[in-house]
Amino acid sequence: MTQPASPAQQDAPIPTAKSRPDTGGWRRPLGLRADVRNLSLLGVLAVLVVVGGITKPDEFLATSNLQLVLTQASIIGVVTVGMTFVITSGGIDLSVGAIVALASVWATTVATQEYGFAGILFTAVIVGLSCGFVNGLLIAYGGMVPFIATLAMLAAARGLALQITGGKTQMVTVNPVLDLGIKDAYILGIPPLVLVFAAVTVIGWLLLNRTTFGRRTVAVGGNAEAARLAGIDVRRQRLHLYLFSGLCCGIAAFMLIVLAGSGQNTNGNLYELDAIAAAIIGGTLLSGGRGTIVGSVLGVLVFTTITNIFALNNLESAVQQIAKGAIIVAAVLVQHRTLRGGEA
């Protein structure tokens, strides 16, 4: 006969999958997949460098061309850092390109240029922050869907940029701004804009991975209602995220002014698509709850290198867009497969 259970045995919890001690085993696969994804992007980047070196060795591998690739990547890269935060929170920002355009033309008006370097930088940043603030208010406190709110901002900002310029290019006449784009301003062969991008990347990585702000961003993207019940002010967090995205757009606008030496209403064309694509192929989950700054930066470098190789080989832009589209589709399919594997 079976002996009756003792009181101690009766009180002992039944071991289940949920009551087992957390040994961090679930984190290791996630971290491993992130490492594999980043290594894969590095591998793709290495292949692209080899292709560029084979097809146009004298031009692609030239120091001036590599500096150009990094400089072009820096501008869209800063925008992508802000976009990564927004997507991680479960949102989207379709207005980043239009905000860059508006900030660049507003900061290059004759009235603004009278205040010199500080006036141009201050105006670009303030315009970016203001647009981000409006987006944040509409989404967080107005209850608007991010897609609709930022689409409205895209149209309004583009229209205002066109209104300011009248369709004309506004040339920059402030020498300290123009001087940042010449080779004499390079530090150890590195363009100043690349250093700005590096600084924004480091700050973004620290914010996302080492601060309460980053943890709240991930929590809101993973489950907004659970985050609210945990004491997070979800609306304020979303407002801050769109402010941060607007700040990145303002910084990128100033960088674009330095690179182009002018402000145009067509600046930042399709930046929103490039930033979203770079974040997605880098591993940021489009539905929110997971983001990676390192992956986003690698995604930017991959796309910028592809563009440069196509330009050097005089290939049609249509083929370039097809290649980008194929990369995006492949990245999303890999994400879905990874998520299914994690749930198994």
Side-chain angles (χ1 to χ4, degrees):
M1 295 181 59
T2 304
Q3 296 295 326
S6 66
Q9 291 172 328
Q10 292 174 349
D11 294 337
I14 299 174
T16 63
K18 292 184 179 180
S19 64
R20 289 170 188 163
D22 183 9
T23 59
W26 66 274
R27 291 187 178 91
R28 284 195 291 271
L30 279 178
L32 180 60
R33 286 195 291 270
D35 291 339
V36 170
R37 183 173 53 247
N38 290 339
L39 288 175
S40 299
L41 287 173
L42 284 173
V44 172
L45 191 58
V47 170
L48 290 174
V49 171
V50 171
V51 171
I54 293 175
T55 56
K56 291 288 182 179
D58 295 334
E59 299 175 37
F60 180 79
L61 297 177
T63 301
S64 58
N65 184 63
L66 296 178
Q67 290 172 334
L68 176 62
V69 171
L70 290 176
T71 301
Q72 292 175 337
S74 298
I75 298 173
I76 185 64
V78 170
V79 175
T80 303
V81 170
M83 182 69 77
T84 299
F85 276 82
V86 171
I87 296 178
T88 301
S89 72
I92 199 73
D93 192 346
L94 301 180
S95 64
V96 290
I99 294 175
V100 169
L102 178 59
S104 69
V105 300
W106 206 322
T108 54
T109 60
V110 175
T112 302
Q113 292 193 54
E114 291 180 356
Y115 294 93
F117 182 98
I120 294 176
L121 175 59
F122 178 79
T123 302
V125 170
I126 288 299
V127 171
L129 282 171
S130 299
C131 292
F133 181 71
V134 172
N135 280 337
L137 280 182
L138 293 176
I139 295 166
Y141 294 94
M144 291 187 67
V145 177
F147 182 91
I148 300 300
T150 57
L151 184 62
M153 176 58 72
L154 183 156
R158 283 288 178 194
L160 184 54
L162 179 60
Q163 181 69 27
I164 292 174
T165 62
K168 300 178 181 179
T169 301
Q170 298 178 164
M171 302 305 299
V172 177
T173 58
V174 180
N175 289 328
V177 174
L178 298 175
D179 290 343
L180 287 177
I182 64 177
K183 290 188 176 181
D184 291 341
Y186 289 7
I187 301 174
L188 299 177
I190 303 175
L193 299 187
V194 177
L195 296 177
V196 173
F197 175 38
V200 172
T201 299
V202 171
I203 293 172
W205 186 90
L206 290 173
L207 278 175
L208 187 60
N209 297 282
R210 293 292 184 268
T211 66
T212 303
F213 181 81
R215 289 191 291 272
R216 288 175 177 172
T217 300
V218 174
V220 170
N223 190 322
E225 181 61 20
R228 185 187 67 81
L229 294 175
I232 297 175
D233 190 333
V234 175
R235 293 190 298 179
R236 184 173 62 183
Q237 183 70 17
R238 284 175 173 160
L239 175 61
H240 290 168
L241 286 166
Y242 282 95
L243 273 172
F244 182 70
S245 179
L247 173 63
C248 289
C249 290
I251 295 173
F254 179 78
M255 296 168 69
L256 190 57
I257 291 170
V258 171
L259 182 63
S262 63
Q264 304 178 53
N265 65 285
T266 56
N267 282 343
N269 188 36
L270 297 181
Y271 272 20
E272 56 277 0
L273 299 184
D274 287 342
I276 293 171
I280 291 173
I281 72 168
T284 298
L285 197 59
L286 190 57
S287 58
R290 188 182 72 200
T292 163
I293 298 297
V294 174
S296 295
V297 170
L298 291 175
V300 169
L301 292 175
V302 167
F303 278 136
T304 307
T305 305
I306 289 175
T307 301
N308 183 258
I309 292 174
F310 275 60
L312 291 178
N313 287 277
N314 297 318
L315 297 176
E316 295 181 0
S317 59
V319 181
Q320 173 186 326
Q321 297 302 324
I322 292 173
K324 285 185 176 181
I327 292 174
I328 295 171
V329 171
V332 173
L333 290 176
V334 169
Q335 275 194 2
H336 287 172
R337 184 173 181 179
T338 301
L339 287 176
R340 286 198 300 267
E343 293 171 355

